[in-house]
Amino acid sequence: MTEYKIALLGFGGVNRALTQLIADKNEHWANEFGFKLKIVGVSDLYFGSIINKNGLDAHELAAVPAVKGGFRTLPAGSAEPANETVIRFSGADLIAEATFTNPVDGEPATTFCRWALEKGISVVTTNKGPVALHAESLKALARSTGAQFEFEGSVMSGTPVIRLAKESLAGSEISGFKGILNGTSNFVLSSMEEGLDFSDAVAKAQELGYAEADPTADVEGHDVRLKVVILANELLGAKLTPSDVLCKGISGITSKDIAEATKANARWKLIGSAEKMSNGSITASVSPQLLPQGDALAGVSGATNAITFNTNVLGPVTVVGAGAGRFETAFALLSDIVSIHKNKTKIGK
């Protein structure tokens, strides 16, 4: 049985949920997968930091009250964040990086990933910034030090869309995709179909925790644009940056538009897509699209995500699953850790 020492960067919903899963499921993972996780360090801008190379109590960590400097209440805890110290000196084998997404340059998360990978520490992340902007250099760095860089949760939360496409659809010749890749915008559109106007639908999404206080990244398509870049680069061999993806959000859709779509037996969806052209180039976009009810994506409502892969061998293949939620996203981190463990077991390291 293998024990991995893991350090957590960020202690918001996702890594706190991962901590709870470790507290509840470690023995089950030992039986099912052959490994356990021991948390040896945590750093967070709000909670502070804590390190214990012998292992922290996951139950105790998961129960830390949501107050500024909360780690100060634990033995050896500090109210100050210490990202570099936790990465370099906690003794971690794995880093779970779940800090905020910076769509401009991917910092400081990209630097956190580099610090870890330089030391041969594998990284699992849900952060779109480092993946959309720096995946190639981070993967190359990981290869050079014998570490692994995994990011399944960066696109569809707990739904394993990247690994599914690379492994289960290997040989299917994926030529493109279109998807509902943002649960917030899909929830807003679904709520508008139920009679709310745009602003009230956004307020409802905020009330339920689907939307941030500033929902711009979700409703204007910026979040989807990063995910399209990640998928196009990973699955289609593109070398896109966010500026290469035309982007339009849903803020211009009115209740009248929704009503007219319903009469036409169609539904508005915010779609992120990419397609490989005959000359090998990749075109990609994010935009509201009017889908007929017969489209596999048209029936996807609420905060659910879905993606249709266009393949030359199988035709269209649609995957529907959770696109939001802290435990769902924490599961993506777990799936990456399982993948890392399998790879290490395979090569005997």
Side-chain angles (χ1 to χ4, degrees):
M1 199 277 295
T2 303
E3 181 177 78
Y4 294 111
K5 296 179 179 179
I6 186 169
L8 313 179
L9 298 186
F11 200 68
V14 175
N15 267 344
R16 187 188 279 265
L18 179 62
T19 300
Q20 189 64 59
L21 288 175
I22 292 170
D24 296 340
K25 303 290 187 180
N26 233 355
E27 293 301 325
H28 175 73
W29 296 340
N31 293 327
E32 183 173 0
F33 304 125
F35 71 77
K36 287 185 178 181
L37 298 178
K38 176 189 284 186
I39 301 172
V40 293
V42 191
S43 180
D44 182 87
L45 282 174
Y46 184 76
F47 286 95
S49 58
I50 184 168
I51 294 175
N52 186 334
K53 293 184 178 181
N54 295 318
L56 295 158
D57 186 315
H59 290 92
E60 191 176 59
L61 271 178
V64 168
V67 296
K68 188 169 179 59
F71 287 150
R72 183 174 47 195
T73 64
L74 301 178
S78 168
E80 299 300 318
N83 295 297
E84 186 171 7
T85 301
V86 166
I87 293 168
R88 296 188 186 279
F89 303 111
S90 66
D93 308 302
L94 297 168
I95 298 291
E97 197 284 319
T99 63
F100 68 92
T101 292
N102 179 340
V104 177
D105 59 12
E107 294 295 352
T110 300
T111 292
F112 299 158
C113 294
R114 287 202 175 106
W115 284 340
L117 296 172
E118 285 168 354
K119 287 180 62 65
I121 302 169
S122 292
V123 174
V124 296
T125 184
T126 60
N127 198 320
K128 295 176 288 293
V131 186
L133 299 169
H134 304 291
E136 283 307 309
S137 64
L138 291 172
K139 288 190 292 184
L141 177 58
R143 287 191 297 269
S144 73
T145 63
Q148 295 181 67
F149 178 60
E150 301 288 342
F151 42 86
E152 185 63 67
S154 64
V155 175
M156 276 177 63
S157 184
T159 303
V161 63
I162 297 174
R163 197 164 288 120
L164 182 146
K166 285 186 170 182
E167 297 178 6
S168 298
L169 294 181
S172 68
E173 299 177 15
I174 297 173
S175 60
F177 62 83
K178 67 175 185 177
I180 298 169
L181 302 175
N182 181 270
T184 301
S185 60
N186 203 46
F187 179 85
V188 168
L189 291 171
S190 296
S191 297
M192 291 177 72
E193 290 174 346
E194 295 171 0
L196 297 183
D197 63 21
F198 177 78
S199 59
D200 288 340
V202 170
K204 182 180 179 182
Q206 291 169 322
E207 181 183 338
L208 294 173
Y210 294 139
E212 301 290 341
D214 180 359
T216 304
D218 293 320
V219 300
E220 296 300 344
H222 304 158
D223 172 76
V224 177
R225 177 165 54 185
L226 293 178
K227 294 173 179 178
V228 167
V229 169
I230 293 169
L231 289 172
N233 291 350
E234 288 297 309
L235 306 181
L236 301 179
K239 297 185 181 299
L240 300 181
T241 65
S243 61
D244 297 320
V245 181
L246 296 174
C247 185
K248 181 180 179 181
I250 63 170
S251 59
I253 293 181
T254 65
S255 297
K256 181 181 177 182
D257 295 326
I258 296 289
E260 289 178 349
T262 301
K263 288 180 183 177
N265 203 29
R267 303 180 79 185
W268 283 102
K269 297 294 179 184
L270 182 63
I271 298 296
S273 63
E275 182 180 2
K276 184 179 290 185
M277 311 306 288
S278 58
N279 64 0
S281 65
I282 308 293
T283 61
S285 66
V286 178
S287 66
Q289 295 184 20
L290 192 60
L291 303 182
Q293 287 288 3
D295 190 298
L297 300 181
V300 179
S301 299
T304 305
N305 281 186
I307 188 168
T308 297
F309 294 107
N310 298 317
T311 75
N312 295 333
V313 176
L314 297 174
V317 177
T318 301
V319 181
V320 181
R326 61 193 192 99
F327 277 99
E328 291 84 349
T329 309
F331 169 79
L333 293 174
L334 172 64
S335 73
D336 283 338
I337 293 168
V338 171
S339 178
I340 288 172
H341 175 68
K342 286 181 177 178
N343 288 336
K344 287 181 176 294
T345 302
K346 189 185 303 180
I347 61 178
K349 289 186 177 180

